[in-house]
Amino acid sequence: MKTVLLNDYLFNIDQSGSGRTTLLVHGSASDYRTWAGQIEPLSRQFTVTTYSRRYHWPNVQISDNQDYSMHQHLNDLIQLIEHLPGHPVNLVAHSYGALLAL
């Protein structure tokens, strides 16, 4: 797992495989580990990128004065997509992450 600074926040991301970039976006009550069972099969064809969204484990946790808005998470997702090599990327998401991906 590596870290990348986006929107003044340090995100943990992981990549495996090769091919077109496929970004997996988790929901509200989870983190990048949600995708553990999908990474190996998908990485046979794609460069699979998983990340934990802002304030989700193992990233820095939210404090009382910080924003946990859809707008903030959407901006983070956009910045991450622009940071990743190979455009366009495939987006695979569930729950709140799917709403962001839409």
Side-chain angles (χ1 to χ4, degrees):
M1 188 152 253
K2 65 181 182 177
T3 57
V4 62
L5 183 64
L6 304 168
N7 291 331
D8 298 321
Y9 187 84
L10 200 57
F11 290 87
N12 287 278
I13 68 170
D14 195 32
Q15 292 182 299
S16 61
S18 62
R20 184 173 176 171
T21 299
T22 298
L23 176 59
L24 308 181
V25 186
H26 68 81
S28 288
S30 59
D31 55 58
Y32 79 96
R33 297 173 295 181
T34 295
W35 302 107
Q38 288 77 34
I39 294 170
E40 192 273 324
L42 287 171
S43 67
R44 294 179 202 147
Q45 256 185 298
F46 305 101
T47 298
V48 178
T49 302
T50 57
Y51 78 112
S52 284
R53 293 188 299 106
R54 183 178 293 253
Y55 308 128
H56 290 260
W57 189 90
N59 297 329
V60 173
Q61 300 299 298
I62 193 167
S63 64
D64 291 338
N65 63 344
Q66 293 175 310
D67 182 22
Y68 189 95
S69 69
M70 176 174 278
H71 181 73
Q72 181 66 67
H73 287 276
L74 181 58
N75 284 336
D76 294 340
L77 178 58
I78 291 167
Q79 289 295 307
L80 179 56
I81 290 169
E82 291 175 352
H83 173 80
L84 295 173
H87 292 93
V89 302
N90 299 318
L91 285 175
V92 178
H94 75 90
S95 189
Y96 188 81
L99 188 57
L100 293 172
L102 287 173

